[in-house]
Amino acid sequence: VDKGPENTVMSWPHLLILEALATLGTTVLLLFWSLAINAPLREFADPEVSENPAKAAWYFMNLQEMLLHMHPALAGVIIPVLMLVVLMAIPYFDRSQEDVGVWFASKKGRKIALWSTVYTSIWLIGLVLFDEYIRLRSIVNEPEILVGWIIPIVVIVALSGALYIMIRKWRPTTRETLIGLFTAFVVTYILLTIVGLFFR
């Protein structure tokens, strides 16, 4: 439908008044909430003694969780930098103007996203439990290069490649393929954050 100027309204005052009211309402709600409920404050931090376990902020919990399963340079630098580069490159891979602004692009995209969520969740939880079991039993006494570098890289590449091959069986568009891979990234981020926050 072609919406001409007769079907539009100016952002001032229609939109900005509502946004200002929402902002003020949120501020008032938080103000009264902070007056009614005492914050769970702890003792002053001691720079001589670190917490055990020392935890990062919640949005870095996924990186802290990965530090337990691979070499710190791989988990803390190489993988995050590669992921940021890949995320920045997504618009260059998908140049299509079809389905712009449509959630999951199509019904096939929804199925791919759901499959990617299930696949990633099962494998990630299984790998965390497996690695925790191996570490608890001290079965692996291999050199750091094998345990910290080779095994994690092989597992990441193999599982990502297997997911890509499974997604391609649906004969998806480039956007639907990227939706499946991006869903795997988001599920990994969320699950590692939950594991690091609540199970460590």
Side-chain angles (χ1 to χ4, degrees):
V1 177
D2 183 22
K3 294 183 178 179
E6 69 277 356
N7 293 329
T8 60
V9 294
M10 300 296 286
S11 58
W12 171 260
H14 299 88
L15 174 65
L16 290 177
I17 292 292
L18 290 175
E19 288 177 345
L21 289 173
T23 303
L24 291 172
T26 303
T27 304
V28 168
L29 175 71
L30 291 175
L31 175 69
F32 285 115
W33 192 354
S34 67
L35 291 172
I37 299 173
N38 289 326
L41 299 177
R42 296 163 51 186
E43 66 277 355
F44 286 111
D46 184 359
E48 299 293 325
V49 179
S50 62
E51 282 187 289
N52 186 18
K55 288 192 175 186
W58 69 267
Y59 44 84
F60 286 134
M61 276 296 175
N62 47 32
L63 293 177
Q64 191 171 17
E65 178 64 25
M66 285 196 313
L67 289 172
L68 295 174
H69 306 292
M70 56 190 78
H71 191 273
L74 183 63
V77 179
I78 296 171
I79 290 177
V81 168
L82 284 175
M83 288 311 304
L84 288 174
V85 169
V86 169
L87 290 174
M88 288 188 291
I90 286 176
Y92 298 101
F93 293 131
D94 182 17
R95 306 290 292 173
S96 173
Q97 295 298 320
E98 296 178 19
D99 301 325
V100 173
V102 177
W103 279 86
F104 304 111
S106 66
K107 289 183 178 179
K108 191 190 308 180
R110 283 188 201 95
K111 291 178 183 175
I112 290 171
L114 181 62
W115 168 251
S116 182
T117 300
V118 171
Y119 174 88
T120 306
S121 299
I122 291 171
W123 272 108
L124 194 64
I125 292 169
L127 286 171
V128 168
L129 291 175
F130 177 76
D131 190 50
E132 198 63 29
Y133 173 78
I134 294 295
R135 287 185 189 277
L136 288 176
R137 301 291 189 265
S138 301
I139 294 172
V140 176
N141 292 322
E142 302 295 335
E144 178 63 25
I145 185 115
L146 180 65
V147 177
W149 287 90
I150 296 172
I151 292 174
I153 290 173
V154 168
V155 168
I156 290 169
V157 170
L159 291 178
S160 300
L163 177 62
Y164 177 77
I165 290 168
M166 291 177 193
I167 289 172
R168 295 305 299 171
K169 289 185 179 181
W170 268 292
R171 292 185 171 76
T173 63
T174 302
R175 178 164 297 151
E176 291 165 344
T177 302
L178 291 173
I179 285 170
L181 296 175
F182 184 74
T183 302
F185 166 75
V186 171
V187 169
T188 301
Y189 185 95
I190 292 170
L191 284 179
L192 287 178
T193 301
I194 290 171
V195 169
L197 195 61
F198 296 111
F199 297 101
R200 295 288 174 201

